[in-house]
Amino acid sequence: TYGDWSSDVCSSDLAMRDRYGRFRFGQSLLLARRLVEGGMPLVQVNWTRLGDNVPNKGTWDTHAKNAVSCKDFLMPMMDQCVSALMEDLAVRGLLEDTLVCWMGEFGRTPRHNGNGGRDHWGSVFSVALAGGGVRAGVVHGASDNIAAFPREGMVRPEDLNATLFHLLGMDSHTEVYDTQNRPIPLSRGQVIRQIV
């Protein structure tokens, strides 16, 4: 495993920790669920490096060995802990009121580079949303056949922001004021009505 997550807690807690995965991100998602259950209104969990013994130091910034990284550890780890989080939230009756958003800041190039990696790409990337007012099972938007450019249902970052604010119960056009007392809307985008 990646990291030492020894514990002196009871066996049911140990089983839950095993279900989420004995690695930093898995344990961070378990902590996030506990924070949500305790009333924390907003929790952010970031993926961190796994170490020097795996390609790209175990990050999603897969400039080398993209397919190997995704197959061998990134996706198995993510599948384990995200499915644990979703199941745990549902069993505890928290999913309906908890918005889960899984995303990065950009996509990856449609083609591999010379190192078998994929570089930064801003034209197409995916976001997964669940719970918190999102319609289950909806896939919105599609790219061309090599995932280079949007083909239909294009969503801009400001539309995603507007949707997130809407799902959090805030009018996305609400104005906030900066230090110069200038009004700035929370978002200039439109709520993605197809998913809410």
Side-chain angles (χ1 to χ4, degrees):
T1 62
Y2 300 98
D4 177 21
W5 293 96
S6 58
S7 174
D8 58 359
V9 296
C10 70
S11 61
S12 63
D13 285 343
L14 291 175
M16 181 62 72
R17 292 183 77 175
D18 289 341
R19 172 67 179 97
Y20 274 83
R22 297 293 183 123
F23 45 90
R24 186 177 295 144
F25 192 76
Q27 296 303 293
S28 296
L29 287 187
L30 174 56
L31 175 59
R33 190 273 295 158
R34 289 174 174 163
L35 289 169
V36 166
E37 193 169 38
M40 185 66 63
L42 181 64
V43 180
Q44 177 177 324
V45 180
N46 293 334
W47 187 271
T48 58
R49 294 177 179 178
L50 300 177
D52 294 331
N53 60 333
V54 288
N56 308 294
K57 297 187 178 183
T59 69
W60 289 90
D61 201 17
T62 54
H63 292 284
K65 300 184 178 179
N66 175 77
V68 169
S69 298
C70 287
K71 181 181 178 210
D72 287 355
F73 56 89
L74 290 173
M75 286 310 301
M77 293 170 77
M78 187 60 72
D79 183 50
Q80 177 179 355
C81 61
V82 171
S83 65
L85 174 67
M86 301 306 295
E87 179 181 278
D88 201 6
L89 288 170
V91 165
R92 292 168 188 275
L94 297 169
L95 186 57
E96 188 175 312
D97 296 322
T98 304
L99 175 63
V100 178
C101 177
W102 177 28
M103 63 181 284
E105 67 269 36
F106 46 73
R108 309 305 293 184
T109 50
R111 302 193 192 285
H112 286 91
N113 62 28
N115 296 316
R118 294 173 64 193
D119 299 315
H120 301 176
W121 189 256
S123 297
V124 169
F125 61 98
S126 299
V127 175
L129 301 174
V134 174
R135 291 176 44 213
V138 173
V139 176
H140 176 70
S143 70
D144 59 18
N145 64 344
I146 62 168
F149 298 101
R151 189 183 72 218
E152 61 186 50
M154 184 176 82
V155 172
R156 300 167 301 148
E158 55 267 34
D159 298 330
L160 177 60
N161 287 343
T163 305
L164 295 176
F165 282 121
H166 171 78
L167 292 169
L168 292 171
M170 302 169 70
D171 181 351
S172 61
H173 300 293
T174 298
E175 291 181 340
V176 294
Y177 293 85
D178 68 8
T179 57
Q180 308 267 323
N181 205 31
R182 295 175 294 191
I184 301 171
L186 290 176
S187 174
R188 289 187 168 88
Q190 299 299 315
V191 175
I192 310 164
R193 296 290 172 190
Q194 297 88 334
I195 68 169
V196 299

